Amino acid sequence: MKITPTSLTLNQLFGSSNEQYVIPSYQRRYSWRERQVYELLDDIDLLEGSDTHLLGNIVCLTGSHAAGLNKLDLVDGQQRLTTISILFECIRQHLMEQENTELASDLGRLLHAKTIDGKELPKVLLDSIDSKEFARLVKADDQGDFVNENLFNAFTIVRDWISEQELKDLIEFLYRLQNQALLIRLDVSDAKDAFKLFETINNRGLRLSPSDIIKNFLLGNAARFGEDSLKDACDAWAKLVLHLDRTSSDNFFRHFLTARTQRRVTAAKVVPIFKALFMREVREAVDLPDRHYYFDEDDVDTDNDENDGETSLDRESSEEEKSEHPQLSFKSFLKKLVESAKIYGRLLLASTGNKSADRHLRNLHMIKAAQTFGYLMHLKVGGCDEKHFLTILKLTEAFVLRRHICRERSNDTETLFARLCAVNPKNPVPDTRVAYRASCPSDEKFREEFANVMFTSNIIDRARYCLESIEIAKHGKYVELQVLGTDLVHVEHIIPKKIKTIKAKEEFGDWVTYLGEKSILHHPKYLSRIGNLTLFSGKLNISASNNPFSGKRPAYRESSILMTQEIGKMQNFRFKQVEQRSKDLADSAVELWPVP
């Protein structure tokens, strides 16, 4: 591996007019948060005298320099260089506003590279999914929505900070930034070495995510296969990043591997299992000299439970699957990976284009059914039609809700969904129904647990899902849920969350007296049960009377949500009513979410 390290000030790094730093399309979004931006500002601002500050390393994939513009792919360092570009650009604009055109022009030259015919181009080129929003923010066009809030916030923080500086102090800061902040530029001419170097200098246990390591593993090996393969890999990763935008790429790879291996894959095992899968499945990898260093994924401990034994759904590997010979071309492997990411992103964001399916996917999010998405991705990748998929979604809602309510082990649930990835996607319903029935809690257990489960704040969306579903099933319409939307309709605690403080009495009334003896002792037991929850929108005006429930009743009666209207017709609402209403709602739940 030939590496050319060079220590450069930012003036030197940005000063060469025939070099352009390109942030490739396969890179993730800009991700620095407020803390990192302010730390950079403070590090430069606090420099004393001729002290220098090392900003860190950047890794550039370079070829032989030639006349004209030389583009350097930034393999590592996009966060730093993007932030520095933001700083330079915002300071330049402020200097122009202060009519310091000479210094602004000098700074402008650092922000641009030139082609051989003199055309100016951005010194740091974002070829990533942030490029359009970056261009808008450079022009101070902050109207409308921004997908990348981190990028928007970085521009806002820098501009606000600049506006608070005296011009003299700002010019001194700029001098220190340009001349006393250093970066170590590591130039690597071979792509496979560049990606290996990135992983090596960043691999300290916490900094690199599984997705970062997988990206470098893929691109590094692609470079070993040849230039065409590297281009295919870069294009594929760029598409993958786009498809997984606003989702967790780490979770995607975990579910992708779960679907491929039909086993529960823990977060700690994502990287070794992916590498093993790649070496086993990619045809070109068979000739790699280090292939034997990677375990087959069958040999990687996936931390499955003791009851992870043979079942009717366990995979019976064919001779083809067990073969040591890879089955896919590298290009086909990439295509499968990108297609899976595309489908996974749509499932996670409930944006499949089918309204019924998207509603059920939203429901699964509210239930907190993350274990299901590897299996659902397996079905859609395998060509499951809409009719079968909708049936699976409905069955899955009921099954997962029952298991969650009955506090069944989540590892067992995840293992079951991993095994279900062996079913035929073209006809998944019979096998899925059998598997769900075998592991589904009984009506008796579900009824009892539903009436007594505590819907605490971390699972309040699960309570919302249950209340919405019961309302719709009972009354056959969304009413207020449709008209106002989920942001305005909230889960209301009928007996409030706080009852004993002076402030609580002022805001919610004297519930302690109203609820009677030992109310403070019993309050936590009943507060989060389903019988004390309803759906409501608007504000309540409660007077501190000896019957605070009477202050809620008029607003409840006026609600368009019929279950809330029914509460408004009740004369009293104490712990006894919570108990009875919980049992009534549990009876409805057994009918609404039957055993598959």
Side-chain angles (χ1 to χ4, degrees):
M1 181 189 298
K2 184 179 179 181
I3 305 170
T4 307
T6 311
S7 175
L8 300 168
T9 66
L10 295 187
N11 257 352
Q12 293 168 329
L13 186 77
F14 282 73
S16 177
S17 62
N18 71 333
E19 288 183 335
Q20 182 184 46
Y21 299 99
V22 179
I23 298 174
S25 57
Y26 58 76
Q27 295 281 29
R28 61 183 175 176
R29 285 190 180 277
Y30 178 80
S31 58
W32 268 21
R33 299 184 182 276
E34 181 178 325
R35 179 176 64 83
Q36 287 94 347
V37 177
Y38 274 119
E39 283 177 353
L40 175 59
L41 292 170
D42 289 342
D43 287 339
I44 305 304
D45 202 30
L46 296 175
L47 283 173
E48 296 182 354
S50 60
D51 289 350
T52 58
H53 175 69
L54 181 62
L55 293 171
N57 305 306
I58 63 172
V59 178
C60 297
L61 179 58
T62 63
S64 298
H65 272 49
L69 187 65
N70 293 277
K71 296 188 175 185
L72 286 63
D73 275 9
L74 204 62
V75 175
D76 187 23
Q78 66 146 323
Q79 307 295 333
R80 295 185 196 92
L81 253 60
T82 302
T83 308
I84 291 165
S85 295
I86 292 170
L87 260 173
F88 278 167
E89 180 59 42
C90 293
I91 293 174
R92 186 196 68 80
Q93 291 177 9
H94 185 75
L95 291 172
M96 289 296 293
E97 292 170 1
Q98 298 299 313
E99 298 184 353
N100 193 329
T101 55
E102 183 177 353
L103 192 52
S105 296
D106 289 343
L107 197 50
R109 282 191 286 272
L110 294 183
L111 286 165
H112 291 92
K114 287 186 178 181
T115 62
I116 198 167
D117 59 359
K119 181 180 179 182
E120 288 192 343
L121 297 172
K123 186 68 178 182
V124 178
L125 175 65
L126 276 74
D127 189 27
S128 65
I129 52 178
D130 282 331
S131 58
K132 290 183 179 179
E133 292 191 350
F134 186 87
R136 283 177 58 195
L137 289 164
V138 164
K139 296 176 182 177
D141 174 14
D142 58 1
Q143 301 302 308
D145 295 330
F146 284 84
V147 174
N148 192 344
E149 291 185 2
N150 292 325
L151 189 62
F152 175 82
N153 290 338
F155 271 91
T156 302
I157 290 166
V158 169
R159 284 189 168 122
D160 288 348
W161 180 85
I162 290 171
S163 69
E164 295 170 357
Q165 308 303 308
E166 295 291 337
L167 183 59
K168 177 178 175 292
D169 295 334
L170 182 62
I171 292 173
E172 290 178 358
F173 172 88
L174 178 60
Y175 178 87
R176 290 192 293 271
L177 180 64
Q178 290 179 255
N179 299 284
Q180 294 173 243
L182 304 177
L183 273 167
I184 306 298
R185 192 174 101 175
L186 301 170
D187 288 355
V188 185
S189 58
D190 196 322
K192 69 178 187 294
D193 292 339
F195 295 116
K196 184 183 292 186
L197 179 61
F198 168 75
E199 183 173 343
T200 301
I201 65 178
N202 286 283
N203 194 8
R204 295 183 181 176
L206 293 176
R207 186 174 176 186
L208 285 182
S209 69
S211 299
D212 290 329
I213 297 172
I214 288 171
K215 178 187 74 176
N216 283 278
F217 175 81
L218 267 179
L219 300 187
N221 279 296
R224 300 164 83 181
F225 299 153
E227 288 187 12
D228 289 343
S229 292
L230 178 58
K231 183 180 183 305
D232 289 340
C234 290
D235 291 345
W237 197 271
K239 292 175 182 175
L240 183 143
V241 169
L242 191 61
H243 292 323
L244 296 178
D245 193 27
R246 293 180 291 147
T247 70
S248 166
S249 56
D250 289 350
N251 286 342
F252 160 71
F253 280 108
R254 194 162 74 87
H255 286 123
F256 173 78
L257 293 169
T258 293
R260 295 293 295 122
T261 64
Q262 297 153 26
R263 297 180 180 184
R264 185 172 71 88
V265 176
T266 63
K269 301 299 182 182
V270 167
V271 171
I273 293 176
F274 182 88
K275 289 181 176 180
L277 183 75
F278 177 91
M279 290 297 179
R280 183 171 69 87
E281 289 200 349
V282 176
R283 187 178 301 127
E284 290 87 336
V286 72
D287 295 323
L288 294 176
D290 55 347
R291 180 173 179 264
H292 65 283
Y293 289 121
Y294 297 94
F295 292 104
D296 189 277
E297 76 269 11
D298 289 343
D299 299 323
V300 178
D301 178 13
T302 54
D303 296 336
N304 285 339
D305 301 314
E306 292 179 2
N307 62 356
D308 194 16
E310 295 292 325
T311 73
S312 61
L313 286 171
D314 277 340
R315 164 175 72 153
E316 295 181 2
S317 298
S318 65
E319 290 302 313
E320 179 180 331
E321 288 174 318
K322 288 210 178 260
S323 169
E324 293 183 0
H325 298 290
Q327 303 298 319
L328 294 172
S329 69
F330 180 55
K331 195 166 187 175
S332 297
F333 181 86
L334 292 173
K335 184 178 180 181
K336 180 176 289 189
L337 190 64
V338 170
E339 180 63 19
S340 297
K342 180 180 179 180
I343 288 170
Y344 183 84
R346 289 177 177 176
L347 293 174
L348 261 288
L349 298 174
S351 59
T352 65
N354 182 307
K355 290 184 179 180
S356 296
D358 290 345
R359 183 175 296 163
H360 287 295
L361 290 167
R362 168 185 173 269
N363 292 344
L364 289 174
H365 281 294
M366 296 176 76
I367 295 169
K368 290 188 178 294
Q371 308 101 318
T372 66
F373 284 94
Y375 173 53
L376 298 177
M377 178 176 62
H378 160 73
L379 295 181
K380 295 304 288 182
V381 169
C384 182
D385 65 31
E386 292 296 336
K387 181 179 178 182
H388 284 145
F389 192 63
L390 281 172
T391 301
I392 292 293
L393 288 174
K394 293 174 185 176
L395 293 173
T396 302
E397 270 184 48
F399 173 70
V400 175
L401 180 68
R402 278 183 171 245
R403 285 188 64 85
H404 281 342
I405 293 295
C406 295
R407 290 168 286 185
E408 301 289 349
R409 293 181 63 193
S410 59
N411 285 355
D412 291 347
T413 306
E414 197 168 346
T415 297
L416 182 141
F417 279 107
R419 290 177 179 159
L420 278 170
C421 292
V423 305
N424 178 5
K426 300 293 180 65
N427 186 29
V429 176
D431 286 341
T432 302
R433 197 186 294 273
V434 168
Y436 284 179
R437 283 176 180 168
S439 300
C440 191
S442 67
D443 284 350
E444 291 75 15
K445 184 175 183 180
F446 180 52
R447 179 183 286 106
E448 180 180 354
E449 294 289 347
F450 192 89
N452 291 284
V453 69
M454 303 293 283
F455 289 97
T456 50
S457 58
N458 61 315
I459 55 170
I460 199 66
D461 273 350
R462 190 178 295 164
R464 182 192 184 93
Y465 162 77
C466 293
L467 293 169
E468 283 185 3
S469 299
I470 292 170
E471 170 74 9
I472 294 163
K474 190 172 182 180
H475 302 294
K477 52 185 176 180
Y478 281 103
V479 195
E480 202 164 341
L481 299 178
Q482 280 186 325
V483 175
L484 295 178
T486 56
D487 291 337
L488 296 178
V489 179
H490 61 271
V491 176
E492 160 88 352
H493 288 76
I494 303 165
I495 298 173
K497 287 185 273 189
K498 294 182 179 180
I499 61 172
K500 63 181 181 180
T501 65
I502 295 174
K503 185 177 179 181
K505 279 191 175 185
E506 291 174 352
E507 291 185 4
F508 307 118
D510 187 4
W511 281 91
V512 174
T513 301
Y514 173 70
L515 292 172
E517 188 179 357
K518 297 183 179 180
S519 59
I520 294 176
L521 177 67
H522 293 305
H523 178 251
K525 177 183 175 183
Y526 290 94
L527 172 65
S528 299
R529 287 171 65 175
I530 195 70
N532 190 47
L533 305 176
T534 191
L535 298 169
F536 187 69
S537 68
K539 296 182 179 180
L540 289 166
N541 295 314
I542 308 298
S543 58
S545 65
N546 60 1
N547 185 354
F549 177 67
S550 64
K552 286 192 168 190
R553 287 176 58 207
Y556 285 173
R557 284 198 298 266
E558 293 176 6
S559 173
S560 298
I561 298 173
L562 301 186
M563 69 163 59
T564 306
Q565 283 185 23
E566 292 173 354
I567 298 167
K569 296 174 183 177
M570 300 170 68
Q571 294 301 311
N572 286 292
F573 199 89
R574 296 187 174 90
F575 297 137
K576 178 181 178 181
Q577 282 73 30
V578 174
E579 188 92 40
Q580 184 57 52
R581 186 166 178 266
S582 295
K583 291 178 180 178
D584 293 341
L585 292 175
D587 289 337
S588 298
V590 171
E591 295 181 11
L592 188 55
W593 296 287
V595 174

